[in-house]
Amino acid sequence: MTEFDAEDENAGDRHFVTSLQRGLRVITAYRPDDRALTNQALAERTGLPRSTVARFTHTLHKLGYLVHHARSAGYSLAPRVIELSRAALVSTGINELARPSMEALSELGPFSVALGVASDGGIRYLDLARRPEAIVLNLDVGALVPVLQTAIGRAYLSALSEVRRAAMLRQLKAADPALYDAQAPLLAAEMERYQSEGYVTSFGCWWPELNAAATTIRFAEDGDPLLLSISGLSSALTPEKVRGEYAAALMNAARVIEGRMRRRYSE
C-alpha cells in the first residue's frame, strides 16, 4: 500500500488518474532484496486484484520498465527504472546538495545519518553517511524502514496535514493493531515535540539498543518532505546527548540542505 489511501482521498478529483496511481504502486512494491516477483506476490503487497496487477505488469513489461522471467513467472525491475531514479536524483540535486551536510553531521558522533522519503507505507533510505564504527543495523540505501516505531517515520507523520495523517494512521492501525496501540502514546508525545522543538526521537522503540532522532526538510511547498535522521547505539546516542548536542546539529544540517535545495529550485 501507499503512504495513505490516495484513491479515497482523491475520489472527487476528476483530474486524478487512478490507473496511473495503481501502476506506480506496482513499481514501488519492489524492495532492495527482491529479484523477481510474481503477479500474486505483487497483488499481496499492493492490495490490488491479481487480474489488475497482471495487466499492469504486462504493460510495464511492454514499455521496458519490467523484465519477465518465464521460468519463475516473475517480473523484476528493468534498467529503465534505474534511469528514472538517476534522473530524479540529478534533477533534484539531492546527492550534490545533501551529501556534504550529511557527512559533516556524521563526523560529530558514532551514528548513521540517513536521508529518506515516504514510500510504500514506510520510509525509504535515499542516502546514508556514517563512520565505520557507526554501522549498527545491516541497512543500506534503498532500505525500507517502518513508520510508527522509528524516528524518521515519526518525523514524517508529524509533518503531514491532519487529513493525511489521519488516513495514514488508520492504515497503520489496520495493518497491525497491537503495534499501533503500543506506539500511539509515544507517537503523540513525539508529535508534540516536533511542534515545539522541531524534531522527534525514538529510544529503543524499533530495536532495543538503537536510539534515533529525526527532522524534516521542506524544499517545496507541495509534496512530501525529505527526512533526515541520526541513529546509533543507545550507549552512544543517549537521550541526554540528543537533547544537549545532537538535535541542534541535526536540525542545522536539515536547514542547510533545505536552503540549498530551495535556492536550486528558485534559479
Side-chain angles (χ1 to χ4, degrees):
M1 298 292 288
T2 51
E3 305 84 58
F4 60 99
D5 196 337
E7 292 182 35
D8 286 349
E9 180 171 327
N10 294 282
D13 186 348
R14 63 187 181 88
H15 296 294
F16 186 81
V17 183
T18 301
S19 60
L20 175 59
Q21 184 267 337
R22 291 181 173 182
L24 292 173
R25 186 185 294 185
V26 170
I27 291 180
T28 58
Y30 284 85
R31 299 166 186 165
D33 56 348
D34 289 330
R35 295 297 180 265
L37 297 176
T38 64
N39 286 331
Q40 182 60 40
L42 286 166
E44 291 172 358
R45 287 195 183 179
T46 61
L48 297 171
R50 187 182 181 283
S51 59
T52 301
V53 169
R55 291 196 296 272
F56 282 124
T57 54
H58 175 78
T59 302
L60 290 167
H61 171 236
K62 291 292 186 181
L63 293 174
Y65 292 104
L66 293 179
V67 175
H68 183 246
H69 304 276
R71 179 171 296 182
S72 65
Y75 292 86
S76 60
L77 295 176
R80 191 169 187 181
V81 176
I82 299 174
E83 283 301 303
L84 285 177
S85 301
R86 186 190 65 80
L89 289 172
V90 171
S91 65
T92 59
I94 289 176
N95 285 350
E96 173 190 348
L97 301 177
R99 189 71 190 181
S101 293
M102 293 176 65
E103 291 180 346
L105 183 58
S106 72
E107 291 298 318
L108 298 181
F111 47 72
S112 297
V113 181
L115 185 72
V117 66
S119 173
D120 193 28
I123 306 299
R124 185 85 62 186
Y125 283 171
L126 298 178
D127 200 2
L128 285 167
R130 56 196 175 195
R131 301 191 322 212
E133 65 270 27
I135 299 177
V136 181
L137 297 176
N138 187 26
L139 296 176
D140 212 332
V141 173
L144 187 71
V145 302
V147 174
L148 284 171
Q149 61 270 51
T150 64
I152 200 167
R154 292 172 178 178
Y156 175 64
L157 287 171
S158 299
L160 291 178
S161 67
E162 291 186 9
V163 172
R164 292 188 63 192
R165 184 187 303 122
M168 188 167 188
L169 289 176
R170 284 195 299 270
Q171 177 183 324
L172 292 168
K173 184 173 184 178
D176 194 334
L179 176 64
Y180 180 86
D181 290 342
Q183 296 294 325
L186 296 171
L187 173 62
E190 292 303 323
M191 288 194 294
E192 290 183 6
R193 185 197 304 274
Y194 181 83
Q195 294 302 321
S196 62
E197 301 179 46
Y199 71 97
V200 298
T201 65
S202 172
F203 298 134
C205 296
W206 186 24
W207 294 94
E209 298 301 318
L210 183 70
N211 287 350
T215 190
T216 57
I217 299 170
R218 282 212 173 272
F219 63 94
E221 298 302 322
D222 193 20
D224 284 343
L226 290 172
L227 307 159
L228 188 68
S229 75
I230 55 174
S231 58
L233 289 174
S234 57
S235 58
L237 198 66
T238 64
E240 292 75 21
K241 287 186 176 180
V242 169
R243 289 193 297 267
E245 179 181 359
Y246 295 146
L250 169 71
M251 290 189 292
N252 180 66
R255 299 293 78 78
V256 170
I257 296 170
E258 184 176 270
R260 289 172 177 166
M261 296 193 73
R262 283 181 177 269
R263 285 193 294 274
R264 179 177 182 123
Y265 273 83
S266 64
E267 290 176 353

